[in-house]
Amino acid sequence: MEYTASVNKLTGPLVQELIDNADKLRLDIQTLDNGCTIIDAGINVPGGIEAGRIITEICLGGLGTVSLAHSSYTDNWPITVNVHTSNPVLACLGSQYAGWSLAHEKYFALGSGPARAMATKEKEGQVVPVEDLYKELDYRDEAATATLVIENDAIPPLEIVEKIAKACAVDFDKLIIIVTPTSSLAGGVQVVGRVLEVAMHKAHELHFPLENIVDGMGSAPLCPPHPDFVQAMGRTNDAILFAGQVHIFVKGSDEEAEKLANALPSSTSKDYGKPFAQVFKDAKYDFFKIDGMLFSPASVIVTAVESGNSFRAGKLDNDLLNQSFGA
């Protein structure tokens, strides 16, 4: 696969939109003593749904569009987050996927967004990507600025900021970190907006040839926020697991397209069948004990573009969605 687009350059106008309209979007813009820009999207300020929509497009590396719309496909939750990208592998895996683990003392967060594609480390005397995924994608971004999105309810400590800037090889004043608590409205939108990304990640885990994925879109209902972190996280996941819909367009044979469709839905997982907050509790709050195949949309369509045939699998579950959302 050959990628030439710079996900950090493409997100520049979107980041500037957040900064220029901070009051309108109910964001707080801070400049740390070292020059790093922190955009608070829900810790000390309300944040909001529109901020979350723009942040989701930033997570996608400026390669996708995110919109809000009314839909009747769920019984009680009519507002949906809709995502589309004509470059789903780079947008979703190369940028949006929360694959960068960041930890210092008791602070832990996963980084997502375009800065991931710039981050490197030294290993055995060689400079390599922080995440092995980029070796497979054969992609490394170069840009004057780097933007990272962190899902956490606290501003990262200076040690984390320094680690990010060093890994991305940018000066502090060229680093932007956007923080979106899961319990905030903005945080909820940006997680539900990963409906297509989880399908891309699962396709990767299923060893489907990424170069054969040519386009994709998805939608999932906007979940109500919850002040408790586990419940808030559960609702954002359940929006996708129980009511997420994805349509992927692929090259290759009908057999491969049908095989992918049948394997993608969340209902294929052994852990499917109860709200995610309960699954997490049953796993003693250890993500590694949860079946990785659970993280996927409820319903999928895979279209084989060379034959024109489409294959459907999975289904929406309004009862489980209502149970999770508190209907």
Side-chain angles (χ1 to χ4, degrees):
M1 291 175 284
E2 293 185 4
Y3 300 113
T4 57
S6 168
V7 289
N8 282 277
K9 290 178 183 177
L10 286 170
T11 54
L14 295 167
V15 173
Q16 196 60 47
E17 185 177 357
L18 295 182
I19 295 171
D20 291 345
N21 296 285
D23 289 343
K24 171 184 172 182
L25 297 169
R26 296 182 299 175
L27 304 172
D28 182 48
I29 313 298
Q30 305 175 29
T31 302
L32 302 182
D33 290 341
N34 60 19
C36 172
T37 298
I38 301 289
I39 301 178
D40 174 1
I43 301 173
N44 299 309
V45 288
I49 291 172
E50 175 62 8
R53 187 196 66 79
I54 298 169
I55 292 168
T56 307
E57 290 192 347
I58 291 171
C59 285
L60 286 162
L63 291 165
T65 56
V66 179
S67 63
L68 300 169
H70 281 75
S71 172
S72 59
Y73 76 81
T74 61
D75 289 344
N76 296 313
W77 310 101
I79 308 301
T80 59
V81 179
N82 305 307
V83 180
H84 171 247
T85 171
S86 291
N87 201 330
V89 174
L90 182 57
C92 295
L93 297 183
S95 187
Q96 189 179 26
Y97 175 57
W100 190 0
S101 297
L102 298 162
H104 177 74
E105 296 179 349
K106 293 184 178 181
Y107 188 93
F108 174 78
L110 292 173
S112 64
R116 293 175 49 236
M118 292 176 64
T120 63
K121 62 183 179 181
E122 189 170 314
K123 182 178 181 182
E124 298 176 355
Q126 291 187 319
V127 176
V128 299
V130 164
E131 299 173 51
D132 289 341
L133 173 62
Y134 287 96
K135 297 178 184 177
E136 186 174 348
L137 296 178
D138 192 23
Y139 177 72
R140 179 182 174 187
D141 193 16
E142 294 182 359
T145 61
T147 301
L148 192 72
V149 177
I150 290 178
E151 186 182 346
N152 202 289
D153 60 1
I155 302 298
L158 286 177
E159 290 82 0
I160 294 288
V161 175
E162 291 169 356
K163 178 179 180 178
I164 296 168
K166 180 180 178 181
C168 295
V170 294
D171 294 333
F172 291 118
D173 63 350
K174 301 298 183 183
L175 176 63
I176 302 98
I177 299 175
I178 303 170
V179 188
T180 60
T182 310
S183 58
S184 70
L185 285 168
V189 173
Q190 74 92 12
V191 178
V192 174
R194 296 173 184 273
V195 59
L196 179 61
E197 179 250 295
V198 296
M200 292 297 100
H201 183 257
K202 190 167 182 178
H204 178 244
E205 292 294 305
L206 293 167
H207 305 294
F208 185 84
L210 296 179
E211 64 272 15
N212 284 356
I213 301 175
V214 297
D215 215 313
M217 58 187 67
S219 65
L222 179 64
C223 62
H226 196 287
D228 177 76
F229 166 73
V230 173
Q231 293 297 325
M233 179 186 62
R235 287 181 174 183
T236 57
N237 277 279
D238 291 339
I240 297 172
L241 303 182
F242 302 143
Q245 300 184 104
V246 163
H247 193 164
I248 300 172
F249 301 83
V250 302
K251 297 185 295 184
S253 68
D254 282 4
E255 290 76 15
E256 287 299 309
E258 184 175 21
K259 180 180 178 182
L260 177 64
N262 289 333
L264 274 181
S266 54
S267 56
T268 61
S269 168
K270 63 181 179 61
D271 284 334
Y272 182 87
K274 50 191 171 184
F276 184 78
Q278 186 62 50
V279 173
F280 192 39
K281 181 180 179 181
D282 293 345
K284 301 188 186 307
Y285 305 103
D286 184 348
F287 272 107
F288 295 103
K289 292 182 180 178
I290 300 172
D291 179 19
M293 294 293 102
L294 177 64
F295 300 99
S296 46
S299 172
V300 302
I301 304 171
V302 178
T303 294
V305 295
E306 291 162 332
S307 70
N309 293 323
S310 296
F311 305 93
R312 293 171 171 81
K315 61 181 179 61
L316 277 60
D317 195 319
N318 278 291
D319 290 340
L320 284 172
L321 187 69
N322 290 334
Q323 187 178 339
S324 172
F325 285 11

